[in-house]
Amino acid sequence: MIQLRYQPYELQLKHAFNLATSSRTTTPVMLVELELDGIIGYGEASMPPYLGESHETVSRFLAKVDLTGFKDPFRMDEILEYVDKLDQGNRAAKAAVDIALHDLVGKIMNLPWYRIWGLNLEATPYTSFTIGIDTPEVVVEKIREAEAFKILKVKLGRDNDKEMIETIRSVTDVPLCVDANQGWTDKQMALDMIHWLNEKGIVFVEQPMPKEQFDDMAWLTAHSPLPTIADEAFQRVQDIPRFKDVYTGINIKLMKSTGMREAKKMVDVARALNMKVMLGCMTETSCAVSAAAQLSPLVDWADLDGALLISNDIFEGMKVNNGKIILNSLPGIGVTKC
């Protein structure tokens, strides 16, 4: 019988996480364990405010999960379909169960998931490191902390976007990607900004406009000199086909997609539609980040720095060496609990 356990935890951020419309210094998470015959699989639900989930909502959802009828954890599709249909939404809560189940099954097989999927360990990408919106002095400090990274992700979407970029360019010429977090509401202004960013060595622009401005976003992508990546605009795999030609690519996050099972499907669908794929994360421990990293050899870009932004990680897992994602040979999602 598969046993489910869970407990709340609060992540402490090293710096305030400033976005276009919000700021925070902590992120609530739920730590999940699935145990069978003494083998424990670890999972995690991370709940930044925009997901609309909390310790209370995740606890209520997980209290409904009854895995006593499933004797064989290898019936993963059946188990996760059951979990998905328990209630609407609750994507982070569902992701926590999914990650723990993948970890459990991988440990039973004694194989990491990148090997189960047949992926090339050497094909992992470089991960970006996130620079939140802040004063020029703090931005420069953050850049110095991130000097080992080969690409940086810059949060934009307020009234100091050009100041942010100019400040960064005053101290480094490393490639940048930018995330406006829906902060640009006028399509012509957005296009003018993207042309300016193109001259500053930017690689792509993530979620430049509000997700509701579908037609404006399609126009922007058609005229943009840089790739545009959807983040807040989509959640589940069935959302992806309608974004072809609206965005150049998608940003897959386990907390949005309900976990590893659907994230893998998302990669396959996006590739079939000739779309670019980015793999992202929330502020998370090394548990959820390492789970996502198992997919990283499949993607164009990665932003898996979530565990590097916190001061109280309780897992060890995938590493970052000079900006490159390094997967280990541990079975499952490749983590140990500290």
Side-chain angles (χ1 to χ4, degrees):
M1 179 188 308
I2 302 173
Q3 298 177 5
L4 168 65
R5 295 186 294 269
Y6 50 93
Q7 66 178 53
Y9 191 62
E10 196 82 17
L11 301 183
Q12 305 297 321
L13 278 64
K14 294 178 180 177
H15 293 282
F17 199 66
N18 299 320
L19 308 179
T21 58
S22 65
S23 177
R24 68 178 191 274
T25 57
T26 63
T27 301
V29 300
M30 188 70 77
L31 305 176
V32 170
E33 295 181 359
L34 291 180
E35 182 171 356
L36 179 67
D37 298 332
I39 300 174
I40 299 175
Y42 297 113
E44 175 182 6
S46 175
M47 298 160 281
Y50 86 90
L51 281 185
E53 296 184 63
S54 65
H55 284 147
E56 291 72 25
T57 63
V58 172
S59 293
R60 283 199 301 268
F61 179 83
L62 293 176
K64 301 176 186 177
V65 177
D66 181 5
L67 301 180
T68 57
F70 298 99
K71 303 294 190 291
D72 183 359
F74 284 84
R75 291 162 58 185
M76 299 181 71
D77 282 352
E78 188 177 339
I79 293 170
L80 295 174
E81 286 289 347
Y82 154 75
V83 172
D84 196 18
K85 291 177 179 177
L86 279 174
D87 206 340
Q88 297 294 315
N90 296 283
R91 294 187 305 274
K94 293 172 181 178
V97 178
D98 170 285
I99 293 167
L101 183 61
H102 278 80
D103 194 33
L104 177 65
V105 169
K107 286 174 175 173
I108 293 171
M109 297 176 70
N110 199 31
L111 289 172
W113 270 94
Y114 69 82
R115 286 197 61 197
I116 296 170
W117 281 325
L119 305 183
N120 180 5
L121 176 65
E122 304 302 321
T124 56
Y126 288 93
T127 179
S128 55
F129 185 85
T130 301
I131 307 296
I133 299 170
D134 222 313
T135 64
E137 294 77 17
V138 175
V139 168
V140 169
E141 178 188 348
K142 292 178 180 179
I143 296 297
R144 288 175 177 150
E145 290 177 8
E147 62 183 356
F149 289 81
K150 310 302 182 187
I151 182 170
L152 299 176
K153 178 176 177 177
V154 185
K155 295 290 187 178
L156 300 181
R158 292 188 182 175
D159 57 2
N160 65 335
D161 289 349
K162 289 189 176 181
E163 180 187 54
M164 281 283 297
I165 299 300
E166 295 286 15
T167 298
I168 293 168
R169 280 289 172 251
S170 72
V171 292
T172 182
D173 59 359
V174 69
L176 307 175
C177 54
V178 303
D179 183 1
N181 285 116
Q182 309 182 78
W184 303 336
T185 57
D186 180 83
K187 67 180 183 180
Q188 186 61 57
M189 170 269 167
L191 182 61
D192 292 344
M193 187 66 187
I194 290 175
H195 276 290
W196 183 83
L197 291 170
N198 190 40
E199 298 173 357
K200 300 295 181 179
I202 280 38
V203 177
F204 63 81
V205 180
E206 185 180 344
Q207 201 61 56
M209 303 190 73
K211 60 185 180 181
E212 299 83 6
Q213 294 181 225
F214 196 84
D215 293 339
D216 287 345
M217 194 61 235
W219 178 90
L220 183 62
T221 294
H223 293 84
S224 174
L226 295 175
T228 60
I229 307 299
D231 183 8
E232 289 92 339
F234 86 105
Q235 311 297 338
R236 303 294 300 267
V237 65
Q238 61 266 25
D239 299 331
I240 298 173
R242 72 188 186 98
F243 289 117
K244 179 176 170 57
D245 300 324
V246 179
Y247 296 86
T248 312
I250 60 171
N251 183 2
I252 298 171
K253 296 177 180 177
L254 300 191
M255 298 303 136
K256 293 193 308 177
S257 69
T258 72
M260 297 169 69
R261 171 177 173 266
E262 188 157 321
K264 176 65 166 58
K265 293 180 181 179
M266 286 180 166
V267 174
D268 296 339
V269 170
R271 292 309 192 195
L273 295 172
N274 198 31
M275 298 178 76
K276 294 290 188 181
V277 178
M278 176 183 175
L279 185 63
C281 64
M282 311 299 183
T283 44
E284 302 166 348
T285 73
S286 289
C287 176
V289 171
S290 296
Q294 300 297 313
L295 286 160
S296 65
L298 293 172
V299 307
D300 299 293
W301 303 294
D303 180 38
L304 296 182
D305 64 344
L308 302 177
L309 303 176
I310 64 173
S311 60
N312 59 337
D313 196 354
I314 58 170
F315 289 92
E316 288 189 6
M318 78 90 162
K319 301 295 184 184
V320 177
N321 186 10
N322 289 323
K324 185 175 173 62
I325 293 171
I326 306 297
L327 295 172
N328 57 49
S329 59
L330 295 175
I333 62 172
V335 299
T336 56
K337 197 168 184 180
C338 301

